[in-house]
Coordinates of all heavy atoms in Angstrom, one line a residue:
F1 N 135.8 91.8 202.1 CA 134.5 92.3 201.6 C 133.5 91.2 201.4 O 132.6 91.4 200.6 CB 134.8 92.9 200.2 CG 135.7 94.1 200.3 CD1 137.0 94.1 199.7 CD2 135.4 95.3 201.0 CE1 137.8 95.2 199.8 CE2 136.2 96.3 201.1 CZ 137.4 96.3 200.5
E2 N 133.7 90.1 201.9 CA 132.8 88.9 201.7 C 131.4 89.3 202.1 O 131.1 89.9 203.1 CB 133.2 87.8 202.6 CG 132.5 86.5 202.3 CD 133.1 85.3 202.9 OE1 134.3 85.2 203.1 OE2 132.3 84.4 203.2
G3 N 130.5 89.0 201.1 CA 129.1 89.3 201.3 C 128.7 90.8 201.1 O 127.6 91.2 201.2
R4 N 129.7 91.6 200.7 CA 129.4 93.0 200.5 C 129.8 93.4 199.0 O 130.7 92.9 198.5 CB 130.2 93.9 201.5 CG 129.8 93.6 202.9 CD 130.5 94.4 203.9 NE 130.2 95.8 203.7 CZ 130.9 96.7 204.3 NH1 131.9 96.5 205.0 NH2 130.6 98.0 204.1
S5 N 129.1 94.4 198.5 CA 129.5 94.9 197.2 C 130.7 95.8 197.2 O 130.9 96.5 198.2 CB 128.3 95.7 196.6 OG 127.2 94.9 196.4
F6 N 131.5 95.7 196.2 CA 132.6 96.7 196.1 C 132.9 97.0 194.7 O 132.5 96.3 193.8 CB 133.9 96.2 196.8 CG 134.6 95.0 196.2 CD1 135.5 95.2 195.2 CD2 134.2 93.7 196.5 CE1 136.1 94.2 194.6 CE2 134.9 92.6 195.9 CZ 135.8 92.9 194.9
F7 N 133.6 98.1 194.5 CA 133.9 98.6 193.1 C 135.3 99.3 193.3 O 135.4 100.2 194.0 CB 132.8 99.6 192.8 CG 132.9 100.2 191.4 CD1 132.4 99.5 190.3 CD2 133.5 101.4 191.1 CE1 132.5 100.0 189.0 CE2 133.6 101.9 189.9 CZ 133.0 101.2 188.8
T8 N 136.2 98.7 192.6 CA 137.6 99.2 192.7 C 138.2 99.6 191.3 O 138.1 98.7 190.4 CB 138.5 98.2 193.4 OG1 137.9 97.9 194.7 CG2 139.9 98.8 193.6
E9 N 138.6 100.8 191.2 CA 139.3 101.2 189.9 C 140.8 101.4 190.2 O 141.2 101.7 191.3 CB 138.7 102.5 189.5 CG 137.2 102.5 189.1 CD 136.7 103.9 188.8 OE1 137.3 104.9 189.3 OE2 135.7 103.9 188.1
F10 N 141.5 101.1 189.1 CA 143.0 101.4 189.2 C 143.4 101.9 187.8 O 142.9 101.4 186.8 CB 143.8 100.2 189.7 CG 143.6 99.0 188.8 CD1 144.6 98.7 187.9 CD2 142.6 98.1 189.0 CE1 144.5 97.5 187.1 CE2 142.5 97.0 188.2 CZ 143.5 96.7 187.3
A11 N 144.4 102.7 187.8 CA 145.0 103.2 186.5 C 146.4 102.7 186.3 O 147.1 102.5 187.2 CB 145.0 104.8 186.5
L12 N 146.7 102.5 185.0 CA 148.0 102.0 184.6 C 148.4 102.9 183.4 O 147.6 103.3 182.6 CB 148.0 100.6 184.2 CG 147.6 99.5 185.2 CD1 147.6 98.2 184.5 CD2 148.6 99.5 186.3
V13 N 149.7 103.1 183.3 CA 150.3 103.8 182.1 C 151.2 102.8 181.4 O 152.0 102.1 182.1 CB 151.0 105.1 182.5 CG1 151.7 105.7 181.3 CG2 150.1 106.0 183.2
S14 N 151.0 102.6 180.1 CA 151.8 101.6 179.4 C 152.4 102.3 178.1 O 151.8 103.2 177.6 CB 150.8 100.5 179.0 OG 151.4 99.6 178.1
Y15 N 153.5 101.7 177.7 CA 154.0 102.1 176.4 C 153.3 101.4 175.2 O 153.4 101.8 174.1 CB 155.5 101.7 176.3 CG 156.3 102.5 177.3 CD1 156.9 101.9 178.4 CD2 156.5 103.9 177.1 CE1 157.6 102.7 179.3 CE2 157.3 104.6 178.0 CZ 157.8 104.0 179.1 OH 158.6 104.7 180.0
V16 N 152.5 100.4 175.5 CA 151.7 99.7 174.5 C 150.5 100.6 174.1 O 149.8 101.1 175.1 CB 151.2 98.4 175.0 CG1 150.3 97.7 174.0 CG2 152.4 97.5 175.4
P17 N 150.3 100.9 172.8 CA 149.1 101.7 172.5 C 147.8 101.2 173.0 O 147.6 99.9 173.0 CB 149.1 101.7 171.0 CG 150.5 101.3 170.6 CD 151.0 100.5 171.7
F18 N 146.9 102.1 173.5 CA 145.7 101.6 174.1 C 144.9 100.7 173.2 O 144.4 99.6 173.7 CB 144.8 102.8 174.5 CG 143.5 102.4 175.0 CD1 143.4 102.1 176.4 CD2 142.4 102.3 174.2 CE1 142.2 101.6 176.9 CE2 141.1 101.9 174.8 CZ 141.1 101.6 176.1
E19 N 144.8 101.0 171.9 CA 144.0 100.2 171.0 C 144.5 98.7 171.0 O 143.8 97.8 170.9 CB 143.9 100.8 169.6 CG 143.2 102.1 169.6 CD 144.0 103.3 170.1 OE1 145.2 103.2 170.3 OE2 143.4 104.3 170.3
K20 N 145.8 98.6 171.0 CA 146.4 97.3 170.9 C 146.2 96.5 172.2 O 145.8 95.3 172.2 CB 147.9 97.4 170.7 CG 148.6 96.1 170.5 CD 150.1 96.2 170.1 CE 150.7 94.9 169.9 NZ 152.1 95.0 169.4
S21 N 146.4 97.1 173.4 CA 146.2 96.4 174.6 C 144.7 96.1 174.9 O 144.4 95.0 175.4 CB 146.8 97.2 175.8 OG 146.2 98.4 175.9
D22 N 143.9 97.0 174.5 CA 142.4 96.8 174.6 C 142.0 95.6 173.8 O 141.3 94.7 174.3 CB 141.7 98.1 174.2 CG 140.2 98.1 174.5 OD1 139.9 97.8 175.7 OD2 139.4 98.3 173.6
Q23 N 142.4 95.5 172.6 CA 142.1 94.4 171.7 C 142.6 93.1 172.3 O 142.0 92.0 172.2 CB 142.5 94.6 170.3 CG 142.0 93.6 169.3 CD 140.4 93.6 169.3 OE1 139.8 94.6 169.1 NE2 139.8 92.5 169.5
Y24 N 143.9 93.1 172.8 CA 144.5 91.9 173.4 C 143.6 91.4 174.5 O 143.4 90.2 174.7 CB 145.9 92.3 173.9 CG 146.6 91.2 174.7 CD1 147.1 90.1 174.1 CD2 146.7 91.4 176.1 CE1 147.8 89.1 174.8 CE2 147.4 90.4 176.8 CZ 147.9 89.3 176.2 OH 148.6 88.3 176.9
L25 N 143.2 92.3 175.4 CA 142.3 91.9 176.5 C 141.0 91.3 176.0 O 140.5 90.3 176.5 CB 142.1 93.0 177.5 CG 143.4 93.5 178.3 CD1 143.1 94.8 179.0 CD2 143.8 92.4 179.2
I26 N 140.4 92.0 175.1 CA 139.1 91.5 174.5 C 139.3 90.1 173.9 O 138.4 89.3 174.2 CB 138.5 92.5 173.5 CG1 138.1 93.8 174.2 CG2 137.4 91.9 172.7 CD1 137.8 95.0 173.3
D27 N 140.3 89.9 173.2 CA 140.6 88.6 172.5 C 140.8 87.5 173.6 O 140.6 86.4 173.3 CB 141.8 88.7 171.6 CG 141.6 89.5 170.4 OD1 140.4 89.9 170.1 OD2 142.6 89.9 169.8
N28 N 141.1 87.9 174.8 CA 141.4 86.9 175.8 C 140.2 86.9 176.9 O 140.4 86.5 178.0 CB 142.7 87.2 176.5 CG 143.8 86.7 175.6 OD1 144.1 85.5 175.5 ND2 144.4 87.6 174.8
G29 N 139.1 87.5 176.5 CA 137.9 87.3 177.4 C 137.7 88.4 178.5 O 136.9 88.2 179.4
F30 N 138.4 89.5 178.3 CA 138.2 90.6 179.3 C 137.7 91.8 178.6 O 138.1 92.1 177.4 CB 139.6 91.0 180.0 CG 140.1 90.0 180.9 CD1 141.0 89.0 180.5 CD2 139.6 90.0 182.2 CE1 141.4 88.0 181.4 CE2 140.1 89.0 183.1 CZ 141.0 88.1 182.7
L31 N 136.9 92.6 179.3 CA 136.5 93.9 178.8 C 137.7 94.8 179.0 O 138.2 94.9 180.2 CB 135.3 94.4 179.6 CG 134.7 95.7 179.2 CD1 134.3 95.7 177.7 CD2 133.5 96.1 180.0
G32 N 138.2 95.4 178.0 CA 139.3 96.3 178.1 C 139.1 97.5 179.0 O 138.0 97.8 179.4
G33 N 140.1 98.2 179.3 CA 140.0 99.4 180.1 C 139.5 100.6 179.4 O 139.1 100.5 178.2
F34 N 139.5 101.7 180.1 CA 139.0 103.0 179.5 C 140.3 103.8 179.3 O 141.1 104.0 180.1 CB 138.1 103.7 180.6 CG 137.8 105.1 180.2 CD1 136.7 105.3 179.3 CD2 138.4 106.2 180.7 CE1 136.4 106.6 178.9 CE2 138.1 107.5 180.4 CZ 137.0 107.7 179.5
S35 N 140.4 104.4 178.1 CA 141.6 105.2 177.7 C 141.5 106.5 178.5 O 140.5 107.2 178.4 CB 141.6 105.4 176.2 OG 142.6 106.3 175.9
L36 N 142.6 106.9 179.1 CA 142.7 108.2 179.8 C 143.3 109.3 178.9 O 143.4 110.4 179.3 CB 143.5 108.0 181.0 CG 143.0 107.0 182.1 CD1 144.0 106.8 183.2 CD2 141.6 107.5 182.6
A37 N 143.6 108.9 177.6 CA 144.3 109.9 176.8 C 143.4 111.1 176.4 O 143.7 112.2 176.6 CB 144.8 109.2 175.5
E38 N 142.2 110.8 175.9 CA 141.3 111.9 175.4 C 140.8 112.8 176.5 O 140.8 114.0 176.4 CB 140.2 111.3 174.5 CG 139.4 112.3 173.8 CD 138.4 111.7 172.9 OE1 138.6 110.7 172.3 OE2 137.3 112.3 172.8
D39 N 140.3 112.1 177.5 CA 139.6 112.9 178.6 C 140.6 113.6 179.6 O 140.3 114.6 180.1 CB 138.6 112.1 179.3 CG 137.4 111.7 178.5 OD1 137.1 112.4 177.5 OD2 136.8 110.7 178.8
Y40 N 141.7 112.9 179.8 CA 142.6 113.4 180.8 C 144.0 113.7 180.3 O 144.9 114.1 181.1 CB 142.7 112.3 181.9 CG 141.4 112.1 182.6 CD1 140.6 111.1 182.3 CD2 141.0 113.0 183.6 CE1 139.3 110.9 182.9 CE2 139.7 112.9 184.2 CZ 138.9 111.8 183.8 OH 137.7 111.6 184.4
G41 N 144.3 113.5 179.0 CA 145.6 113.8 178.4 C 146.7 112.9 178.9 O 147.9 113.3 178.8
I42 N 146.4 111.7 179.4 CA 147.4 110.8 179.8 C 147.6 109.7 178.8 O 146.9 108.7 178.7 CB 147.0 110.1 181.2 CG1 146.7 111.2 182.2 CG2 148.1 109.1 181.6 CD1 146.1 110.6 183.5
E43 N 148.6 110.0 177.9 CA 148.9 109.0 176.8 C 149.3 107.7 177.4 O 150.1 107.7 178.3 CB 150.0 109.6 175.9 CG 149.5 110.8 175.0 CD 148.3 110.5 174.2 OE1 148.2 109.4 173.6 OE2 147.4 111.4 174.1
G44 N 148.8 106.6 176.9 CA 149.1 105.3 177.4 C 148.4 105.0 178.7 O 148.6 103.9 179.3
G45 N 147.5 105.9 179.2 CA 146.8 105.7 180.4 C 145.6 104.8 180.2 O 144.8 105.0 179.2
H46 N 145.4 103.8 181.1 CA 144.3 102.9 181.0 C 143.6 102.9 182.4 O 144.3 102.8 183.4 CB 144.8 101.5 180.8 CG 145.6 101.3 179.5 ND1 146.8 101.8 179.3 CD2 145.3 100.6 178.4 CE1 147.2 101.5 178.1 NE2 146.3 100.8 177.5
L47 N 142.3 102.9 182.5 CA 141.6 102.8 183.7 C 140.9 101.5 183.7 O 140.2 101.2 182.7 CB 140.6 104.0 183.9 CG 139.8 104.0 185.2 CD1 140.7 104.3 186.3 CD2 138.7 105.0 185.1
F48 N 141.1 100.7 184.8 CA 140.4 99.4 184.9 C 139.6 99.4 186.1 O 139.7 100.2 187.0 CB 141.5 98.3 185.0 CG 142.3 98.1 183.8 CD1 143.5 98.8 183.6 CD2 141.9 97.3 182.8 CE1 144.3 98.6 182.5 CE2 142.6 97.1 181.6 CZ 143.8 97.8 181.5
C49 N 138.6 98.4 186.2 CA 137.7 98.3 187.3 C 137.5 96.8 187.6 O 137.4 96.0 186.7 CB 136.4 99.0 187.0 SG 135.2 98.8 188.3
V50 N 137.4 96.5 188.9 CA 136.9 95.1 189.3 C 135.8 95.3 190.3 O 135.7 96.3 191.0 CB 138.1 94.3 189.8 CG1 139.1 94.0 188.8 CG2 138.7 95.0 191.0
T51 N 135.0 94.3 190.3 CA 133.9 94.3 191.3 C 133.8 93.0 192.0 O 134.6 92.1 191.7 CB 132.5 94.5 190.6 OG1 132.2 93.3 189.9 CG2 132.5 95.7 189.7
E52 N 132.9 92.9 192.9 CA 132.7 91.6 193.7 C 132.3 90.5 192.8 O 132.3 89.3 193.2 CB 131.7 91.8 194.9 CG 130.3 91.8 194.5 CD 129.8 93.1 193.9 OE1 130.6 94.1 193.8 OE2 128.7 93.2 193.4
K53 N 131.9 90.7 191.6 CA 131.5 89.7 190.6 C 132.6 88.9 190.1 O 132.5 87.9 189.5 CB 130.7 90.3 189.5 CG 129.5 91.1 189.9 CD 128.4 90.2 190.4 CE 127.1 91.1 190.7 NZ 126.1 90.3 191.3
R54 N 133.9 89.4 190.2 CA 135.1 88.7 189.7 C 135.7 87.9 190.8 O 135.8 88.4 192.0 CB 136.1 89.7 189.2 CG 135.6 90.6 188.1 CD 135.2 89.8 186.8 NE 133.7 89.9 186.8 CZ 132.9 88.9 186.3 NH1 133.5 87.8 185.8 NH2 131.6 89.0 186.3
S55 N 136.2 86.7 190.5 CA 136.9 85.9 191.4 C 138.3 86.3 191.5 O 138.9 87.0 190.7 CB 136.8 84.4 191.0 OG 137.5 84.2 189.8
K56 N 139.0 85.9 192.6 CA 140.4 86.1 192.7 C 141.2 85.6 191.6 O 142.1 86.2 191.0 CB 140.9 85.6 194.0 CG 142.4 85.9 194.3 CD 142.9 85.4 195.6 CE 144.4 85.6 195.8 NZ 145.3 85.7 194.8
A57 N 140.8 84.4 191.1 CA 141.5 83.7 189.9 C 141.3 84.6 188.7 O 142.3 84.8 187.9 CB 140.9 82.4 189.7
E58 N 140.2 85.2 188.5 CA 140.0 86.1 187.3 C 140.8 87.3 187.4 O 141.4 87.8 186.4 CB 138.5 86.5 187.2 CG 137.6 85.3 186.7 CD 136.1 85.7 186.8 OE1 135.7 86.2 187.8 OE2 135.5 85.4 185.8
I59 N 140.9 87.9 188.6 CA 141.7 89.1 188.8 C 143.2 88.8 188.7 O 143.9 89.6 188.0 CB 141.4 89.8 190.2 CG1 139.9 90.3 190.2 CG2 142.3 90.9 190.5 CD1 139.4 90.7 191.6
D60 N 143.6 87.7 189.2 CA 145.0 87.2 189.0 C 145.3 87.0 187.6 O 146.4 87.4 187.1 CB 145.3 86.0 189.8 CG 145.3 86.2 191.3 OD1 145.4 87.4 191.8 OD2 145.2 85.2 192.0
R61 N 144.4 86.5 186.8 CA 144.6 86.2 185.4 C 144.8 87.6 184.6 O 145.6 87.8 183.8 CB 143.5 85.4 184.8 CG 143.7 85.1 183.3 CD 142.7 84.1 182.8 NE 142.8 84.0 181.4 CZ 141.8 84.5 180.5 NH1 140.7 84.9 181.0 NH2 142.0 84.4 179.2
L62 N 143.9 88.5 185.0 CA 144.0 89.9 184.4 C 145.4 90.5 184.7 O 146.0 91.0 183.8 CB 142.9 90.8 184.9 CG 143.0 92.3 184.5 CD1 142.9 92.4 183.0 CD2 141.9 93.1 185.2
C63 N 145.8 90.4 185.9 CA 147.1 91.0 186.3 C 148.2 90.3 185.6 O 149.1 91.0 185.1 CB 147.3 90.8 187.8 SG 146.2 91.8 188.8
S64 N 148.2 89.0 185.4 CA 149.2 88.3 184.6 C 149.2 88.8 183.2 O 150.3 88.9 182.6 CB 148.9 86.8 184.7 OG 149.1 86.3 186.0
M65 N 148.1 89.0 182.6 CA 148.0 89.5 181.2 C 148.6 90.9 181.1 O 149.2 91.2 180.1 CB 146.6 89.4 180.7 CG 146.1 87.9 180.6 SD 144.4 87.9 180.0 CE 144.7 88.3 178.3
L66 N 148.3 91.7 182.1 CA 148.8 93.1 182.0 C 150.3 93.1 182.2 O 150.9 94.0 181.6 CB 148.1 93.9 183.1 CG 146.6 94.2 183.0 CD1 146.0 94.8 184.2 CD2 146.3 95.0 181.7
E67 N 150.8 92.2 183.0 CA 152.3 92.1 183.2 C 153.0 91.8 181.9 O 154.1 92.3 181.7 CB 152.6 91.1 184.2 CG 152.3 91.5 185.6 CD 152.7 90.4 186.6 OE1 152.8 89.2 186.2 OE2 152.8 90.7 187.8
V68 N 152.5 91.0 181.0 CA 153.2 90.7 179.8 C 153.0 91.6 178.6 O 153.6 91.5 177.6 CB 152.8 89.2 179.3 CG1 153.1 88.2 180.4 CG2 151.3 89.1 178.9
M69 N 152.1 92.6 178.8 CA 151.9 93.6 177.8 C 153.0 94.6 177.7 O 153.6 95.0 178.7 CB 150.6 94.3 177.9 CG 149.4 93.4 177.6 SD 147.9 94.3 177.3 CE 147.7 95.3 178.7

């Protein structure tokens, strides 16, 4: 996608309450995901998004943080 805009969303389901994981990400410099519980009835569901504005290193760091939650 070099030189082109992109927008990619992905959903995860976690046993960690949304509020706790959201705050963990915010405390570590990331905008947390969107809760899928209220609008879609998916308890523990989180929707995330990345764009061309994020580097591979930033996306890798987010993935690493999500793995330990």
Side-chain angles (χ1 to χ4, degrees):
F1 299 113
E2 190 169 328
R4 299 179 64 193
S5 297
F6 70 89
F7 185 82
T8 302
E9 297 175 333
F10 61 97
L12 298 174
V13 176
S14 174
Y15 293 109
V16 177
F18 177 81
E19 293 77 15
K20 185 175 181 177
S21 62
D22 190 51
Q23 190 60 55
Y24 173 75
L25 292 171
I26 290 169
D27 291 345
N28 285 280
F30 288 95
L31 180 61
F34 173 79
S35 173
L36 298 175
E38 188 173 324
D39 291 334
Y40 297 97
I42 303 171
E43 291 301 320
H46 303 67
L47 182 66
F48 294 93
C49 175
V50 295
T51 72
E52 77 282 356
K53 303 288 185 185
R54 300 300 106 211
S55 68
K56 181 177 181 330
E58 289 172 312
I59 295 169
D60 288 345
R61 183 169 167 248
L62 173 62
C63 291
S64 293
M65 293 180 73
L66 293 172
E67 286 179 341
V68 299
M69 288 195 309

